Amino acid sequence: MREIVVVSGKGGTGKTSVSASLAVLAAPVVVVDCDVDAADTHMLLTPSPGRENAFLSGHMAVIDPGACTACGKCLELCRFDAVSGDTSGIYQIDPVGCEGCGVCARFCPSGAILMEERNCGVWMVSSARTGPLVHARLAPAAENSGRLVSLVRTEARRIASEKGLETVICDGPPGIGCPVIASVTGASMILAVTEPSLSALHDLERVLSLAAHFSVPSAVCINKHDINPDITERIESAMKERGVPVAGRIGYDPGFTRSLLTGMTVVETDSPTAAEIVRLWEELLSIGDSGDG
Amino acid sequence: MNGGGSFTVAVASGKGGTGKTTVAVNLARSMGTRVTLLDCDVEEPNCTLFLYGGIITTREVGIPVPEVDESLCDACGECSRFCAYKAIVSVGSAPLVFPGMCHGCGGCALVCPRGAISEKESRIGTVERSECGSVTLVTGRLDVGMAMAPPLVRAVKECSRAGEPCIIDCPPGTSCPMIAAIRGADMVLLVTEPTPFGLHDLGLAVNAVAEVGIPAGIVVNRTGPEGLDVGAFAKERGIPVLLEIPDDRRAAEAYSRGELLVDAIPGWKSLFELLRERTVAMAGGRMTREFRQGRDRRPE
Ligand code: SF4
Ligand code: SF4
């Protein structure tokens, strides 16, 4: 099984449009939307939605006001600024600040604090024209996006082997933190979508270092390469130095946004960049074949 | 009129790449007073690409992770049963610590009946401070390979200065790092673009901000004849649109080169001054009561 994770470091480079396009080219595939904070793949692949499964993860402290004696122990112990309390004796836990460590509950001398299971969102397996789409919706301001990513990824791989599908395409989150790490560890390949700006180059370098840190092979695609040829050139030479192949170059194309309005991917339209994405996919396949092991 | 007074405005967005950093740096430059800009997008900090001054100080930031003294440990496993994140694991022997998963809650050290656990700082990143004209820029930079952004976000936020307005460039998304960045702010500016993705993710961000209970205003970036109607959404949710930034190739080019729009495009200075005025007014409206409550709640 081949698992390609599309990331970007910086958001807004066209990661989701590219990954959904690749899914169309590779179909039938399992697609998994690991950008659980802002899951958008379903807007392009317009699946018939599957059943929602609750994502319960971690805990949250709740103070029973009847049992609380306002001793202030929880306020003293909490390292996440989640406890508020004052001399009037009303102690409260801010659910948004609580990380669920359980220290307050364990050491409350009156046993007034309970750890409640936290509902962090939902996940579902929907059926799209490209095959199964595993996606999720994190509850507003919820924690544990990394765990949700691991969950949807595991589910995607399970479905792929069950249905005998060779490829999993994963739309990854921006950044380099916990959800990104959860998305890339153990994947077959990372495709980093970037654009010619100093910020995007800076972020690209960081996400490629992360890929190297976890020993995942990577390739790069430069979107909107014609917007700033100078910086495109800088990206190309930086990649040469790193030994990371530039697998594709996509020209600036307002069709990226326009195709969204119709719920289609760029490669399904007569957009001039469609051919460039086809070439990107072919290149990725050949990199994958030659780089096995 | 200037942007005087002390208030905190967080610049956030559900979707990345909508122009959050652009708004943060150009607003900072347009404040007309001394201002602190906190780059809390610690996974991909970019403000320094637009506002450069020499780095004055760099400080390492860590979280306290447990260290086990094996000569005291009798392998009772209490620490490993307690840890909510499986960051300390004991299977019939002295426990192993996985610093990458530890939240630094301190619980294991407290529960160990033999006092075998002490805490040591484990580095997660750095906080840099630089002075760029009237802007003090504080940048958090997460080390590559580290998962825990929120503690570093909190460390950056400790660098805000009393009596001076503070602008926060938040991480994208709606989960813990973004929440850690907006907590305690007087208002949030949500930057979006008039596309289906932009509007969809704006909806998610609005819900997250509502959960934290902070008033929000919207900035629509790259507006043009083909754009969707963000105003209708804003009206439905009762959130004011504070500024529309037109789609302009000059803006994309200036951005790609790391230039401030207020410097690069004639006439855009007044655009951001307008945003400053509206932001100051909105943040000020709240300063009296809830602002103080927010501040008083913080220990120390
Ligand atoms: S400090 Fe908290 S999170 Fe870290 S290992 Fe100990 S119990 Fe677990
Ligand atoms: S609680 Fe203390 S004594 Fe027990 S296993 Fe952990 S470190 Fe060892």
Side-chain angles (χ1 to χ4, degrees):
Chain A
M1 191 191 309
R2 163 174 64 206
E3 194 183 9
I4 301 176
V5 185
V6 184
V7 298
S8 65
K10 177 175 152 46
T13 58
K15 171 177 65 64
T16 300
S17 295
V18 169
S19 62
S21 290
L22 295 183
V24 167
L25 296 174
V29 283
V30 181
V31 178
V32 50
D33 192 348
C34 287
D35 191 357
V36 295
D37 267 40
D40 287 344
T41 305
H42 66 96
M43 296 175 69
L44 281 170
L45 296 183
T46 55
S48 42
R51 193 170 51 85
E52 294 189 350
N53 309 284
F55 168 57
L56 297 172
S57 177
H59 291 80
M60 181 176 87
V62 179
I63 301 181
D64 172 0
C68 171
T69 59
C71 70
K73 191 75 186 168
C74 49
L75 180 69
E76 174 199 318
L77 288 176
C78 177
R79 291 194 176 164
F80 309 110
D81 274 11
V83 183
S84 61
D86 51 38
T87 40
S88 70
I90 299 167
Y91 280 77
Q92 270 173 336
I93 310 265
D94 177 357
V96 162
C98 175
E99 294 194 13
C101 69
V103 167
C104 57
R106 170 75 170 240
F107 291 98
C108 171
S110 319
I113 306 182
L114 290 175
M115 297 305 292
E116 287 183 356
E117 206 163 13
R118 199 192 267 264
N119 184 354
C120 290
V122 292
W123 63 276
M124 45 256 153
V125 183
S126 301
S127 78
R129 60 186 181 282
T130 47
L133 168 66
V134 189
H135 54 143
R137 203 166 51 237
L138 198 69
E143 297 250 332
N144 292 317
S145 51
R147 282 193 202 166
L148 183 52
V149 168
S150 303
L151 189 156
V152 288
R153 247 187 103 198
T154 312
E155 192 61 21
R157 276 188 293 202
R158 194 189 58 75
I159 293 171
S161 64
E162 190 183 285
K163 301 208 177 226
L165 294 171
E166 240 173 70
T167 310
V168 174
I169 292 193
C170 164
D171 184 6
I176 58 162
C178 131
V180 184
I181 293 174
S183 304
V184 304
T185 41
S188 331
M189 185 197 274
I190 287 173
L191 173 66
V193 180
T194 190
E195 63 183 24
S197 71
L198 289 179
S199 321
L201 174 56
H202 168 264
D203 297 354
L204 174 67
E205 297 270 10
R206 280 166 68 82
V207 79
L208 291 176
S209 303
L210 185 80
H213 183 94
F214 289 103
S215 314
V216 185
S218 40
V220 166
C221 162
I222 309 175
N223 191 13
K224 309 176 213 172
H225 70 91
D226 44 356
I227 272 200
N228 190 328
D230 293 348
I231 299 183
T232 295
E233 218 163 277
R234 265 175 74 175
I235 297 176
E236 305 240 5
S237 64
M239 292 309 107
K240 199 172 251 166
E241 223 160 273
R242 271 183 176 271
V244 172
V246 176
R249 292 161 194 82
I250 304 173
Y252 175 74
D253 180 5
F256 265 65
T257 304
R258 229 173 282 138
S259 77
L260 251 174
L261 294 167
T262 56
M264 283 208 284
T265 64
V266 185
V267 288
E268 291 163 293
T269 66
D270 53 9
S271 196
T273 50
E276 293 168 333
I277 301 180
V278 172
R279 234 171 296 139
L280 165 68
W281 176 238
E282 285 162 359
E283 190 62 30
L284 287 179
L285 287 179
S286 78
I287 294 173
D289 290 341
S290 63
D292 268 347
Chain B
M1 189 47 216
N2 59 32
S6 140
F7 60 87
T8 301
V9 48
V11 185
S13 70
K15 176 171 158 28
T18 56
K20 187 173 55 57
T21 300
T22 301
V23 169
V25 292
N26 285 285
L27 179 62
R29 180 55 96 213
S30 307
M31 284 311 287
T33 54
R34 288 212 54 82
V35 55
T36 307
L37 174 59
L38 304 178
D39 194 343
C40 285
D41 189 358
V42 301
E43 293 178 40
E44 305 290 11
N46 286 147
C47 289
T48 46
L49 297 174
F50 300 90
L51 290 166
Y52 15 76
I55 294 173
I56 297 174
T57 53
T58 303
R59 181 166 64 85
E60 289 190 4
V61 174
I63 56 170
V65 304
E67 192 170 42
V68 180
D69 180 342
E70 296 193 7
S71 68
L72 294 173
C73 168
D74 67 356
C76 71
E78 192 57 25
C79 51
S80 129
R81 277 189 293 280
F82 177 80
C83 179
Y85 316 105
K86 302 191 177 68
I88 184 164
V89 177
S90 135
V91 264
S93 60
L96 279 177
V97 177
F98 299 95
M101 297 169 79
C102 173
H103 287 224
C105 73
C108 53
L110 289 170
V111 301
C112 174
R114 302 185 52 91
I117 301 181
S118 56
E119 292 181 289
K120 67 160 195 284
E121 286 284 301
S122 168
R123 176 179 154 142
I124 55 169
T126 56
V127 174
E128 298 159 8
R129 194 169 64 85
S130 56
E131 296 289 340
C132 328
S134 57
V135 182
T136 302
L137 174 61
V138 183
T139 300
R141 204 177 290 278
L142 188 69
D143 287 346
V144 171
M146 293 293 147
M148 293 306 161
L152 186 54
V153 169
R154 289 192 285 266
V156 176
K157 286 175 74 183
E158 279 166 16
C159 301
S160 71
R161 281 200 293 227
E164 190 172 297
C166 175
I167 298 171
I168 301 176
D169 187 5
C170 301
T174 58
S175 66
C176 11
M178 181 264 201
I179 299 302
I182 68 171
R183 271 187 94 202
D186 300 300
M187 68 170 291
V188 180
L189 283 178
L190 292 171
V191 184
T192 188
E193 53 186 26
T195 63
F197 281 169
L199 206 53
H200 175 259
D201 297 346
L202 174 64
L204 301 174
V206 165
N207 292 344
V209 172
E211 199 74 20
V212 187
I214 303 176
I218 294 173
V219 174
V220 191
N221 193 13
R222 297 191 275 266
T223 56
E226 282 194 40
L228 297 184
D229 187 2
V230 178
F233 167 88
K235 200 161 178 196
E236 191 189 308
R237 301 296 299 260
I239 300 172
V241 173
L242 299 187
L243 188 71
E244 293 191 347
I245 304 173
D247 190 18
D248 189 319
R249 200 183 161 99
R250 288 174 302 172
E253 285 168 358
Y255 175 86
S256 74
R257 291 191 300 263
E259 288 170 13
L260 290 173
L261 303 185
V262 292
D263 296 337
I265 309 178
W268 279 37
K269 200 162 178 283
S270 56
L271 205 63
F272 281 90
E273 280 167 356
L274 188 66
L275 179 62
R276 177 198 72 199
E277 264 159 45
R278 292 177 174 166
T279 303
V280 169
M282 196 171 161
R286 218 176 95 84
M287 253 166 71
T288 43
R289 190 169 45 93
E290 288 156 64
F291 173 76
R292 293 218 175 76
Q293 277 177 4
R295 276 292 149 98
D296 285 348
R297 260 194 3 217
R298 281 186 215 161
E300 87 227 316

